[in-house]
Amino acid sequence: MNGWLPKDIWTRNETLVAGVIVLFCVVATLSDPRFFTITTVSDLLRASIVIGILAVGAMLVLVSGGIDVSFTAIAVFAMYSSTVLFLAVWPEAPWPLIFAISIVFGAILGAINGYFIAFLGLPTLIVTLGTLSIFRGFLLTFIGSQRISALPPSMRDFSRGVLARGTTEAGNFYSIPWAALALLFVIIATWFILKKTMLGRSIYAIGGSVESARRIGINVKWTQFFVYVYVGALAGLAGIIHGSVGRMADPFSLVGLELSVIAAVVLGGARLIGGYGTLTGTLLGVALIVIVQNSLIVIGIPTTWQSVTIGILILLGTGVPAYRAKRAAARAG
Amino acid sequence: MSSDCGSAFIDLRAITKRYAGVTALDCVDFTVQPGEAVCLAGENGSGKSTLIKIISGVEPATEGTIHIAGEERTVLNPRISAAAGVMVIFQDFSLFPNLSVAENISFATQLSQHERFYKSGATRDIARKALDRIGVEIDLDARVEALPVAQKQLVAICRALASQARLIIMDEPTTALTEKEVRRLQSIIRMLKDEGVAVIFVSHKLAEVLEVSERVVVLRNGKKVAEGPAKDFDTQSLTYHMTGRDVPEVPPSDVTAGAETLMQVKRLTKADSFSDITFDLKVGEVLGITGLLGSGRTSVAKALFGLVAPDEGTIAVDGKPVPTGDPQAASQARIGYVPEDRLTEGLFLSQSILHNVAVGRLDTHSNRGLLDMGNLAGEASEWLTKLKVKAPDVHAPVQSLSGGNQQRVALARWLSRAPRVLILNGPSVGVDVGSKADIHDIIRNLATQGIGIIVISDDLPELLATCHRILVMRDGKIIDNLDGKSVTEDDLAHRLAS
């Protein structure tokens, strides 16, 4: 890249999504000047943390050429069972330990996906559809189906921790929770893996062509296995943050969110055929989905139109570039 | 280097390979010297792919000894083989379409150096050096998917060079290249040989690689049936050794005098693609359309069948106009089209042969909306017999067939609709020599039955063997209208390229 901006800046999904976000913000601010305030921004950021962490994981799977729909079940499983475990064994445990155990639970469940996909070579959608049901059913049957609001105290402490807080001149309260650091950490770690390690490049390579990856000696099985373990770990983290921030361990939460998360990733330019996907795109996709889910009402569109809007965005955001590529290919032939 | 096997880079002795009772290779000796180019010829199933798999460590030999660079190898796997400098460039190049040129070239090298971290500077250096070595300029940051085929191949060659290749095995290197690109490849191969890199060509399309090869080895049914200096072979003798029979290509018999005009194409034009395409096709005539890649030949072929909508111009069959840009109308006018890339455009690979033949005929076998499967199967198998498709049964998936047989299935689908005009785009791309001659036979036969045939191809001997007339295209225009009998291959090649 010679210039400051990539050459293909105008044809990228990222640009399109960023444009839609800006457009939305302009329209929203025009119709309600209170929209564009630090309060809104901090609200949207808070709403983005869990979806953001899940989306980074989902993006990694798409890049590797697979698709994972089980990560919400992993998240809720890891969150609920680690909460139940600590309430029974050591309710006063510090939150980093509880978080670590949730992450480990997530990684173990991810390893189950990874085993079936990488070592038995089963199709990713089938495997994760299956494990989605199994993980959730197992959780509700054997571990519990009660909502728990009496969480270990350290989890409450975590949810109270803020990086910044304040009151605007108009008297609106805002805060940025510690959990935002978790998202930041996940982004940096994933960026490092994808851009700076051969493991990360191998994930892109496998997504581009599994057969070619095998032929040049990439360890396809272990790379795929890593992807699912990593995604599981991220889900474990997202789950425990969700429980802590919501101050409730709800075994019925999160599951059902997976398609919105995948939608966000696809909006950000990741392709279902694998090999393509960026962190910037994923985060923009998450931002767009969160804005649509939370602020559509501001510009006078009823909330029932949320899913219609998201659907239209997906069709336009992924359909237009695909159509353009098809036209270009037709001209070349 | 040890002394017992001389200076050969690859020395295989008495290699036998059996798969569950089937002998794929039977006591084959094979050597390659450093800097030598060897042409490994054989039809599908002759054992040439098996031999390559053994050299590259993908499959173990059942019996025999293998020396690479003077060292005996009892255990061989792709990593060991690659570390010894054996690099295979597969027909599909095995590149990563989503990654940059630089990364594609240096990925394997960095893996073999056990790098854990990705350094973009080092990546570019490796790629730059490899490109410089063959004197080629390709944008390092371009995504490989955006490159034309010829450049993808160069990237694959550079990747092999970056990994310290001492032997490059190229599978069907010239299939997708134009004459000009083949010449560039030839000069790169000469350069590599001067540097001591050995090359094995595995090819159906032999004439082009024969020029840069020292030696030819021909396999048939797992046995080595011929070996010798390349200058002792020509296309004719190679074909003989590969097939075990002479496959003389006779030009088509003349079109019946006074044959009626079947198809009339007038002033067909599409902006940026082709312009002023005008020709007639007689009953029983085979018309060739040729030109380099990008000359517009494929777009014209598609336009004739309505897959591309022209801006202007008319097409008529039997004097009746056929609406342009509408494949269904073309199909109703009994125009048939067998696409170039039958694998992605023409056939449903995972579905049965029967289904593939029948799909064009669903309408005629339906009984109030329900399909008459028995009738359908009968008709399909009839065509499979007529075209000599080698298949265990009509329910086998098309992907289990060889290239030549797949092409026949594609033909059978159209023939079952009794077409008046048949457009064949690259009828023998990726088909072995024996099947190719069979397909040419089929084309000539169909013509004598009164079908008008248009063959679009850049395979000049193929055009000469099948066509009564040949139209040469350049920059979207027809520049020559030649009589198939009076034109020579050299003349045709010259007109194409100049």
Side-chain angles (χ1 to χ4, degrees), chain A residues 1-2 7-8 63 192 194-199 201-219 271 274-276 330-333, chain B residues 78-79 90-99 103-104 106-108 110-111 115-120 124 139 141-143 145 159 272-273 294 296 298-299 302:
Chain A
M1 269 156 237
N2 301 320
K7 280 176 268 195
D8 54 350
V63 166
F192 184 79
L194 285 181
K195 292 284 176 192
K196 294 289 159 189
T197 69
M198 288 307 283
L199 174 66
R201 303 318 293 168
S202 300
I203 296 173
Y204 275 100
I206 289 173
S209 166
V210 182
E211 196 48 45
S212 305
R214 231 172 253 136
R215 282 174 180 165
I216 68 163
I218 291 174
N219 196 329
R271 297 194 207 162
Y276 298 85
R331 268 198 301 278
Chain B
R79 277 182 190 226
F90 292 92
Q91 199 177 353
D92 63 1
F93 308 135
S94 290
L95 296 172
F96 302 108
N98 55 330
L99 300 183
E103 224 177 320
N104 265 286
S106 43
F107 212 120
Q110 287 167 315
L111 276 181
E115 292 277 1
R116 290 190 167 277
F117 298 104
Y118 170 76
K119 302 177 191 82
S120 77
R124 296 172 65 91
D139 180 5
D141 296 315
R143 272 190 180 164
E145 64 180 345
R159 173 164 77 183
D272 298 332
S273 192
T298 298
S299 304
K302 289 184 171 174

Coordinates of all heavy atoms in Angstrom, one line a residue, chain A residues 1-2 7-8 63 192 194-199 201-219 271 274-276 330-333, chain B residues 78-79 90-99 103-104 106-108 110-111 115-120 124 139 141-143 145 159 272-273 294 296 298-299 302:
Chain A
M1 N 0.8 -1.2 0.0 CA 0.0 0.0 0.0 C 0.9 1.2 0.0 O 1.6 1.5 0.9 CB -0.9 0.0 1.2 CG -2.2 -0.7 0.9 SD -3.0 -1.3 2.4 CE -3.2 -3.0 2.0
N2 N 0.8 2.0 -1.1 CA 1.7 3.2 -1.2 C 1.1 4.4 -0.5 O 1.8 5.2 0.1 CB 2.0 3.4 -2.6 CG 2.6 2.2 -3.3 OD1 3.5 1.6 -2.6 ND2 2.2 1.9 -4.5
K7 N -6.1 1.3 -2.0 CA -6.6 1.6 -3.3 C -8.1 1.3 -3.5 O -8.8 2.0 -4.2 CB -5.8 0.8 -4.3 CG -4.5 1.3 -4.6 CD -3.7 0.4 -5.6 CE -2.9 -0.6 -4.8 NZ -1.9 -1.3 -5.5
D8 N -8.5 0.3 -2.8 CA -9.9 -0.1 -3.1 C -10.9 0.5 -2.1 O -12.0 -0.1 -1.9 CB -10.0 -1.7 -3.1 CG -9.5 -2.2 -1.8 OD1 -8.8 -1.5 -1.0 OD2 -9.6 -3.4 -1.6
V63 N -13.7 -16.2 8.4 CA -12.5 -16.1 7.6 C -11.9 -17.5 7.4 O -11.4 -17.8 6.3 CB -11.5 -15.2 8.4 CG1 -10.1 -15.4 7.8 CG2 -11.9 -13.8 8.4
F192 N -3.6 -8.9 16.5 CA -2.2 -9.4 16.5 C -2.2 -10.8 15.9 O -1.3 -11.1 15.1 CB -1.7 -9.5 18.0 CG -0.3 -9.9 18.1 CD1 0.8 -9.0 17.8 CD2 0.1 -11.2 18.4 CE1 2.1 -9.4 17.8 CE2 1.4 -11.6 18.4 CZ 2.4 -10.7 18.1
L194 N -4.3 -12.3 13.8 CA -4.6 -12.3 12.3 C -3.5 -11.6 11.5 O -3.2 -12.1 10.4 CB -5.9 -11.6 12.1 CG -7.2 -12.4 12.5 CD1 -8.4 -11.6 12.2 CD2 -7.2 -13.8 11.7
K195 N -2.9 -10.5 12.0 CA -2.0 -9.8 11.2 C -0.6 -10.1 11.4 O 0.3 -9.8 10.5 CB -2.2 -8.2 11.4 CG -3.5 -7.7 10.9 CD -3.6 -7.6 9.4 CE -4.9 -7.1 9.0 NZ -5.1 -7.2 7.6
K196 N -0.2 -10.5 12.6 CA 1.2 -10.6 12.9 C 1.7 -12.0 13.1 O 2.9 -12.2 13.4 CB 1.5 -9.8 14.1 CG 1.3 -8.3 14.0 CD 2.4 -7.7 13.1 CE 1.9 -6.4 12.5 NZ 2.9 -5.9 11.4
T197 N 0.8 -13.0 13.0 CA 1.4 -14.4 13.2 C 1.1 -15.2 12.0 O 0.1 -15.0 11.3 CB 0.7 -15.1 14.5 OG1 -0.6 -15.3 14.1 CG2 0.8 -14.2 15.7
M198 N 1.9 -16.3 11.8 CA 1.7 -17.2 10.7 C 0.4 -18.0 10.9 O -0.3 -18.3 10.0 CB 2.9 -18.1 10.6 CG 4.1 -17.5 10.0 SD 3.9 -16.6 8.5 CE 3.8 -18.0 7.3
L199 N 0.1 -18.2 12.2 CA -1.2 -18.8 12.5 C -2.4 -18.0 11.9 O -3.2 -18.6 11.3 CB -1.4 -18.9 14.1 CG -2.7 -19.5 14.6 CD1 -2.8 -20.9 14.2 CD2 -2.8 -19.4 16.1
R201 N -2.3 -15.8 9.5 CA -2.3 -15.8 8.0 C -2.7 -17.2 7.5 O -3.3 -17.3 6.5 CB -0.8 -15.6 7.5 CG -0.2 -14.2 7.9 CD -1.2 -13.1 7.9 NE -1.6 -12.7 6.6 CZ -2.7 -11.9 6.3 NH1 -3.3 -11.4 7.3 NH2 -3.0 -11.6 5.1
S202 N -2.4 -18.3 8.3 CA -2.9 -19.6 7.9 C -4.4 -19.7 8.0 O -5.0 -20.4 7.1 CB -2.3 -20.7 8.8 OG -0.9 -20.6 8.8
I203 N -5.0 -18.9 8.9 CA -6.5 -19.0 9.0 C -7.1 -18.3 7.7 O -8.0 -18.9 7.1 CB -7.0 -18.2 10.2 CG1 -6.5 -18.9 11.5 CG2 -8.5 -18.0 10.2 CD1 -6.8 -18.1 12.8
Y204 N -6.5 -17.2 7.2 CA -6.9 -16.6 6.0 C -6.6 -17.6 4.8 O -7.5 -17.8 3.9 CB -6.2 -15.3 5.7 CG -6.8 -14.1 6.4 CD1 -6.3 -13.6 7.6 CD2 -7.9 -13.5 5.8 CE1 -6.9 -12.5 8.2 CE2 -8.5 -12.4 6.4 CZ -8.0 -11.9 7.6 OH -8.6 -10.9 8.2
A205 N -5.5 -18.2 4.8 CA -5.1 -19.1 3.7 C -6.1 -20.3 3.6 O -6.6 -20.6 2.6 CB -3.7 -19.7 3.9
I206 N -6.4 -20.9 4.8 CA -7.4 -22.0 4.8 C -8.7 -21.5 4.2 O -9.4 -22.2 3.5 CB -7.5 -22.6 6.2 CG1 -6.3 -23.3 6.6 CG2 -8.7 -23.5 6.3 CD1 -6.2 -23.7 8.0
G207 N -9.1 -20.3 4.6 CA -10.4 -19.8 4.1 C -10.4 -19.6 2.6 O -11.3 -19.7 1.9
G208 N -9.2 -19.2 2.1 CA -9.0 -19.0 0.7 C -9.1 -20.3 -0.1 O -9.8 -20.4 -1.1
S209 N -8.4 -21.3 0.4 CA -8.4 -22.6 -0.3 C -7.8 -23.7 0.7 O -6.6 -23.7 0.9 CB -7.6 -22.6 -1.6 OG -7.4 -23.9 -2.0
V210 N -8.7 -24.5 1.2 CA -8.2 -25.6 2.1 C -7.2 -26.5 1.4 O -6.1 -26.8 2.0 CB -9.4 -26.5 2.6 CG1 -8.9 -27.5 3.6 CG2 -10.5 -25.6 3.2
E211 N -7.5 -26.9 0.2 CA -6.7 -27.8 -0.5 C -5.3 -27.2 -0.7 O -4.3 -27.9 -0.5 CB -7.3 -28.1 -1.9 CG -6.8 -29.4 -2.6 CD -6.7 -30.6 -1.7 OE1 -7.6 -30.8 -0.9 OE2 -5.6 -31.2 -1.7
S212 N -5.2 -26.0 -1.1 CA -3.9 -25.3 -1.3 C -3.2 -25.2 0.0 O -1.9 -25.4 0.0 CB -4.1 -23.9 -1.9 OG -4.9 -23.9 -3.1
A213 N -3.9 -24.9 1.1 CA -3.2 -24.8 2.4 C -2.6 -26.1 2.7 O -1.4 -26.2 3.2 CB -4.3 -24.4 3.4
R214 N -3.3 -27.2 2.5 CA -2.8 -28.5 2.8 C -1.5 -28.8 2.0 O -0.5 -29.3 2.5 CB -3.8 -29.6 2.5 CG -4.1 -30.5 3.6 CD -5.3 -31.4 3.3 NE -6.4 -31.0 4.2 CZ -7.6 -30.9 3.7 NH1 -7.9 -31.1 2.4 NH2 -8.6 -30.6 4.5
R215 N -1.6 -28.4 0.7 CA -0.5 -28.7 -0.2 C 0.8 -28.0 0.1 O 1.9 -28.5 -0.1 CB -0.9 -28.4 -1.7 CG -1.8 -29.5 -2.2 CD -2.3 -29.0 -3.6 NE -3.1 -30.1 -4.2 CZ -3.9 -29.8 -5.2 NH1 -3.9 -28.6 -5.8 NH2 -4.7 -30.8 -5.7
I216 N 0.7 -26.8 0.7 CA 1.9 -26.1 1.0 C 2.4 -26.4 2.5 O 3.3 -25.8 3.0 CB 1.9 -24.6 0.7 CG1 0.9 -23.9 1.7 CG2 1.6 -24.3 -0.7 CD1 1.2 -22.4 1.7
G217 N 1.7 -27.3 3.1 CA 2.2 -27.7 4.4 C 1.6 -27.0 5.6 O 2.1 -27.0 6.7
I218 N 0.5 -26.2 5.4 CA -0.2 -25.6 6.6 C -0.9 -26.7 7.4 O -1.5 -27.6 6.8 CB -1.2 -24.6 6.1 CG1 -0.5 -23.4 5.5 CG2 -2.1 -24.1 7.3 CD1 -1.4 -22.4 4.9
N219 N -0.7 -26.7 8.7 CA -1.4 -27.7 9.5 C -2.9 -27.3 9.6 O -3.3 -26.6 10.6 CB -0.7 -27.8 10.9 CG -1.2 -29.1 11.6 OD1 -2.3 -29.6 11.4 ND2 -0.3 -29.6 12.4
R271 N -17.0 -12.8 4.0 CA -17.8 -13.6 3.1 C -18.0 -15.0 3.6 O -17.1 -15.6 4.2 CB -17.1 -13.7 1.7 CG -16.9 -12.3 1.1 CD -16.5 -12.5 -0.4 NE -15.7 -11.4 -0.8 CZ -14.9 -11.4 -1.9 NH1 -14.8 -12.5 -2.6 NH2 -14.3 -10.3 -2.2
G274 N -15.6 -17.8 3.0 CA -14.3 -17.9 3.7 C -13.2 -17.0 3.0 O -13.3 -16.6 1.9
G275 N -12.2 -16.7 3.8 CA -11.0 -16.0 3.3 C -11.1 -14.5 3.5 O -10.0 -13.9 3.3
Y276 N -12.2 -14.0 3.7 CA -12.4 -12.5 3.7 C -13.0 -12.1 5.0 O -14.0 -12.6 5.4 CB -13.2 -12.0 2.5 CG -12.6 -12.3 1.2 CD1 -12.8 -13.6 0.6 CD2 -11.8 -11.4 0.6 CE1 -12.2 -13.9 -0.6 CE2 -11.2 -11.7 -0.7 CZ -11.4 -13.0 -1.2 OH -10.8 -13.3 -2.4
A330 N -18.3 -10.6 -15.7 CA -19.0 -10.8 -17.0 C -18.3 -10.0 -18.1 O -18.1 -10.5 -19.2 CB -20.5 -10.4 -16.9
R331 N -17.9 -8.8 -17.7 CA -17.2 -7.9 -18.6 C -15.8 -8.5 -19.0 O -15.5 -8.5 -20.2 CB -17.0 -6.5 -18.1 CG -18.1 -5.6 -18.4 CD -17.7 -4.2 -18.2 NE -17.2 -3.9 -16.9 CZ -18.1 -3.6 -15.9 NH1 -19.4 -3.6 -16.0 NH2 -17.6 -3.4 -14.6
A332 N -15.1 -9.1 -18.0 CA -13.8 -9.7 -18.3 C -13.9 -10.9 -19.2 O -13.0 -11.2 -20.0 CB -13.1 -10.0 -17.0
G333 N -15.0 -11.6 -19.2 CA -15.1 -12.9 -19.9 C -15.5 -12.8 -21.3 O -15.2 -12.1 -22.2
Chain B
P78 N 5.0 -35.2 1.9 CA 5.1 -33.9 1.1 C 6.1 -33.0 1.7 O 6.8 -32.2 1.0 CB 3.7 -33.4 1.2 CG 2.8 -34.5 1.3 CD 3.6 -35.5 2.1
R79 N 6.3 -33.0 3.0 CA 7.2 -32.0 3.7 C 8.7 -32.4 3.3 O 9.5 -31.5 3.0 CB 7.0 -32.0 5.2 CG 5.9 -31.1 5.6 CD 5.8 -31.0 7.1 NE 4.6 -30.3 7.3 CZ 4.4 -29.4 8.2 NH1 5.5 -29.0 9.0 NH2 3.3 -28.7 8.4
F90 N 0.2 -27.5 -9.4 CA -1.0 -28.2 -9.9 C -1.7 -27.4 -11.0 O -1.4 -26.2 -11.1 CB -1.9 -28.5 -8.7 CG -1.3 -29.5 -7.8 CD1 -0.6 -29.0 -6.7 CD2 -1.5 -30.8 -8.0 CE1 -0.1 -29.9 -5.8 CE2 -1.0 -31.7 -7.1 CZ -0.3 -31.3 -6.0
Q91 N -2.5 -28.0 -11.7 CA -3.2 -27.4 -12.8 C -4.0 -26.2 -12.3 O -4.1 -25.2 -12.9 CB -4.2 -28.4 -13.4 CG -4.6 -28.0 -14.8 CD -5.4 -29.0 -15.5 OE1 -5.6 -30.1 -14.9 NE2 -6.0 -28.7 -16.6
D92 N -4.6 -26.3 -11.1 CA -5.3 -25.1 -10.5 C -4.4 -24.2 -9.7 O -4.9 -23.3 -9.1 CB -6.5 -25.6 -9.6 CG -5.9 -26.4 -8.4 OD1 -4.7 -26.5 -8.2 OD2 -6.7 -26.9 -7.6
F93 N -3.1 -24.4 -9.8 CA -2.1 -23.6 -9.2 C -2.1 -23.6 -7.6 O -1.1 -23.2 -7.0 CB -2.1 -22.1 -9.6 CG -2.2 -22.0 -11.1 CD1 -3.0 -21.1 -11.7 CD2 -1.3 -22.7 -11.9 CE1 -3.1 -21.0 -13.1 CE2 -1.3 -22.6 -13.3 CZ -2.2 -21.7 -13.9
S94 N -3.1 -24.1 -7.0 CA -3.2 -24.1 -5.5 C -2.8 -22.8 -4.9 O -2.0 -22.8 -3.9 CB -2.2 -25.2 -5.0 OG -2.8 -26.4 -5.3
L95 N -3.3 -21.7 -5.4 CA -3.0 -20.4 -4.8 C -4.1 -20.0 -3.9 O -5.2 -20.6 -3.8 CB -2.8 -19.3 -5.9 CG -1.6 -19.6 -6.8 CD1 -1.6 -18.6 -8.0 CD2 -0.3 -19.5 -6.1
F96 N -3.9 -18.9 -3.1 CA -4.9 -18.4 -2.2 C -5.5 -17.2 -2.9 O -4.8 -16.1 -2.9 CB -4.3 -18.1 -0.9 CG -3.7 -19.3 -0.2 CD1 -2.3 -19.4 -0.1 CD2 -4.5 -20.3 0.2 CE1 -1.7 -20.5 0.5 CE2 -3.9 -21.5 0.8 CZ -2.5 -21.5 0.9
P97 N -6.7 -17.3 -3.4 CA -7.3 -16.2 -4.2 C -7.4 -14.9 -3.3 O -7.4 -13.8 -3.8 CB -8.6 -16.7 -4.6 CG -9.0 -17.8 -3.7 CD -7.6 -18.4 -3.3
N98 N -7.6 -15.1 -2.0 CA -7.9 -13.9 -1.1 C -6.6 -13.3 -0.6 O -6.7 -12.2 0.0 CB -8.7 -14.4 0.0 CG -8.1 -15.5 0.8 OD1 -7.3 -16.3 0.2 ND2 -8.3 -15.6 2.1
L99 N -5.5 -13.8 -0.9 CA -4.2 -13.2 -0.3 C -3.5 -12.5 -1.5 O -3.7 -12.7 -2.6 CB -3.3 -14.3 0.3 CG -4.0 -15.1 1.5 CD1 -3.0 -16.0 2.0 CD2 -4.5 -14.1 2.5
E103 N 2.2 -12.5 -0.5 CA 2.0 -13.5 0.5 C 1.9 -14.9 -0.1 O 2.4 -15.9 0.4 CB 0.7 -13.2 1.3 CG 0.9 -13.5 2.8 CD -0.3 -13.1 3.6 OE1 -0.9 -12.1 3.3 OE2 -0.6 -13.8 4.5
N104 N 1.3 -15.0 -1.3 CA 1.2 -16.3 -2.0 C 2.5 -16.9 -2.3 O 2.8 -18.0 -2.1 CB 0.4 -16.1 -3.3 CG -1.1 -16.5 -3.1 OD1 -1.4 -17.7 -3.0 ND2 -2.0 -15.5 -3.0
S106 N 5.4 -16.2 -0.8 CA 6.4 -16.4 0.3 C 5.8 -17.3 1.4 O 6.5 -17.7 2.3 CB 6.9 -15.1 0.9 OG 5.9 -14.2 1.0
F107 N 4.5 -17.6 1.4 CA 3.9 -18.4 2.5 C 4.6 -19.7 2.8 O 5.0 -19.9 3.9 CB 2.4 -18.7 2.2 CG 1.5 -18.7 3.4 CD1 0.5 -17.8 3.5 CD2 1.8 -19.6 4.4 CE1 -0.3 -17.8 4.6 CE2 1.0 -19.6 5.5 CZ -0.1 -18.7 5.6
A108 N 4.8 -20.5 1.7 CA 5.4 -21.8 1.9 C 6.8 -21.7 2.5 O 7.2 -22.4 3.4 CB 5.4 -22.6 0.6
Q110 N 8.1 -19.3 4.3 CA 8.0 -18.9 5.7 C 7.6 -20.0 6.6 O 8.1 -20.2 7.7 CB 7.1 -17.7 5.9 CG 7.8 -16.4 5.4 CD 6.8 -15.3 5.2 OE1 5.7 -15.4 4.8 NE2 7.2 -14.1 5.7
L111 N 6.7 -20.9 6.1 CA 6.3 -22.0 6.9 C 7.5 -23.0 7.1 O 7.7 -23.5 8.2 CB 5.2 -22.8 6.1 CG 3.8 -22.4 6.3 CD1 2.9 -23.3 5.5 CD2 3.3 -22.4 7.8
E115 N 8.7 -20.0 10.8 CA 8.4 -18.7 11.3 C 7.1 -18.7 12.1 O 6.1 -19.4 11.7 CB 8.1 -17.7 10.1 CG 9.4 -17.4 9.3 CD 10.2 -16.3 9.9 OE1 9.9 -15.8 11.0 OE2 11.3 -16.0 9.3
R116 N 7.1 -18.0 13.3 CA 5.8 -18.0 14.0 C 5.1 -16.6 13.7 O 3.9 -16.6 13.7 CB 6.1 -18.0 15.5 CG 6.6 -19.4 15.9 CD 6.6 -19.6 17.4 NE 6.7 -21.0 17.7 CZ 5.7 -21.8 17.7 NH1 4.5 -21.4 17.5 NH2 5.9 -23.1 18.0
F117 N 5.9 -15.6 13.5 CA 5.3 -14.3 13.3 C 5.4 -13.9 11.8 O 6.3 -14.3 11.1 CB 6.0 -13.3 14.2 CG 5.8 -13.6 15.6 CD1 6.9 -14.2 16.4 CD2 4.6 -13.5 16.2 CE1 6.6 -14.5 17.7 CE2 4.4 -13.8 17.5 CZ 5.4 -14.4 18.3
Y118 N 4.4 -13.2 11.4 CA 4.3 -12.7 10.0 C 5.0 -11.4 9.9 O 4.6 -10.4 10.6 CB 2.9 -12.7 9.6 CG 2.6 -12.1 8.3 CD1 2.9 -12.7 7.1 CD2 2.1 -10.8 8.2 CE1 2.7 -12.1 5.9 CE2 1.9 -10.2 7.0 CZ 2.2 -10.9 5.8 OH 2.0 -10.3 4.6
K119 N 6.0 -11.3 9.0 CA 6.6 -10.0 8.8 C 6.4 -9.5 7.4 O 6.8 -10.2 6.4 CB 8.1 -10.1 9.1 CG 8.4 -10.5 10.5 CD 9.9 -10.7 10.7 CE 10.2 -11.4 12.0 NZ 10.1 -12.9 11.9
S120 N 5.7 -8.4 7.2 CA 5.3 -8.1 5.8 C 6.5 -7.7 5.0 O 6.6 -7.9 3.8 CB 4.2 -7.0 5.8 OG 4.8 -5.8 6.1
R124 N 7.6 -9.5 1.4 CA 7.7 -8.8 0.1 C 9.1 -9.0 -0.5 O 9.3 -9.2 -1.7 CB 7.5 -7.3 0.3 CG 6.1 -6.9 0.8 CD 5.9 -5.5 1.1 NE 6.2 -4.7 0.0 CZ 5.2 -4.3 -0.8 NH1 3.9 -4.6 -0.6 NH2 5.4 -3.5 -1.9
D139 N 2.2 -6.7 -9.6 CA 2.0 -5.9 -8.4 C 1.9 -6.8 -7.1 O 1.1 -7.7 -7.0 CB 0.6 -5.2 -8.5 CG 0.3 -4.3 -7.3 OD1 1.2 -4.3 -6.4 OD2 -0.8 -3.8 -7.3
D141 N 1.0 -6.3 -4.2 CA -0.2 -6.1 -3.3 C -1.5 -6.6 -4.0 O -2.5 -6.6 -3.3 CB -0.3 -4.7 -2.9 CG 0.9 -4.2 -2.1 OD1 1.2 -5.0 -1.2 OD2 1.4 -3.2 -2.3
A142 N -1.4 -6.9 -5.3 CA -2.7 -7.3 -5.9 C -3.2 -8.6 -5.3 O -2.4 -9.5 -4.9 CB -2.4 -7.5 -7.4
R143 N -4.5 -8.7 -5.2 CA -5.0 -10.0 -4.7 C -5.0 -11.0 -5.9 O -5.3 -10.6 -7.0 CB -6.5 -9.8 -4.3 CG -6.6 -9.5 -2.9 CD -8.0 -9.5 -2.4 NE -8.0 -9.2 -1.0 CZ -9.1 -8.8 -0.3 NH1 -10.2 -8.8 -0.9 NH2 -9.0 -8.5 1.0
E145 N -6.8 -13.3 -6.8 CA -8.1 -13.6 -7.5 C -8.3 -12.6 -8.7 O -9.0 -12.9 -9.6 CB -9.3 -13.5 -6.6 CG -9.5 -12.1 -6.0 CD -10.7 -12.0 -5.1 OE1 -11.5 -12.9 -5.1 OE2 -10.7 -11.0 -4.3
R159 N 6.4 -19.0 -6.4 CA 6.3 -19.6 -5.1 C 7.3 -20.8 -5.0 O 8.0 -21.0 -4.0 CB 4.9 -20.1 -4.8 CG 4.8 -20.9 -3.5 CD 3.4 -21.0 -3.1 NE 2.6 -21.9 -3.8 CZ 1.4 -22.2 -3.6 NH1 0.7 -21.5 -2.7 NH2 0.7 -23.1 -4.3
D272 N -17.8 -2.7 -26.5 CA -16.6 -3.2 -25.7 C -16.4 -4.7 -25.8 O -15.6 -5.2 -25.0 CB -16.7 -2.8 -24.2 CG -16.8 -1.4 -24.0 OD1 -16.2 -0.7 -24.8 OD2 -17.4 -0.9 -23.0
S273 N -17.1 -5.4 -26.7 CA -17.0 -6.8 -26.7 C -16.8 -7.4 -28.1 O -15.8 -8.0 -28.4 CB -18.2 -7.4 -26.0 OG -18.1 -8.7 -25.8
G294 N -9.7 -12.9 -25.1 CA -10.0 -11.5 -25.1 C -10.3 -11.0 -26.5 O -10.5 -9.8 -26.7
G296 N -12.9 -11.8 -28.1 CA -14.3 -11.7 -28.2 C -15.0 -13.0 -28.6 O -16.2 -13.1 -28.7
T298 N -15.4 -15.8 -27.1 CA -16.4 -16.4 -26.1 C -17.7 -15.6 -26.0 O -18.7 -16.2 -25.9 CB -15.7 -16.6 -24.7 OG1 -14.6 -17.4 -24.9 CG2 -16.6 -17.1 -23.7
S299 N -17.5 -14.3 -26.0 CA -18.7 -13.4 -26.0 C -19.6 -13.7 -27.2 O -20.8 -13.7 -27.0 CB -18.3 -12.0 -25.9 OG -17.5 -11.7 -24.8
K302 N -21.5 -16.9 -26.7 CA -22.6 -16.7 -25.7 C -23.7 -15.9 -26.3 O -24.9 -16.2 -26.1 CB -22.1 -16.0 -24.5 CG -21.2 -16.9 -23.6 CD -20.8 -16.3 -22.3 CE -20.1 -17.3 -21.4 NZ -19.5 -16.7 -20.2

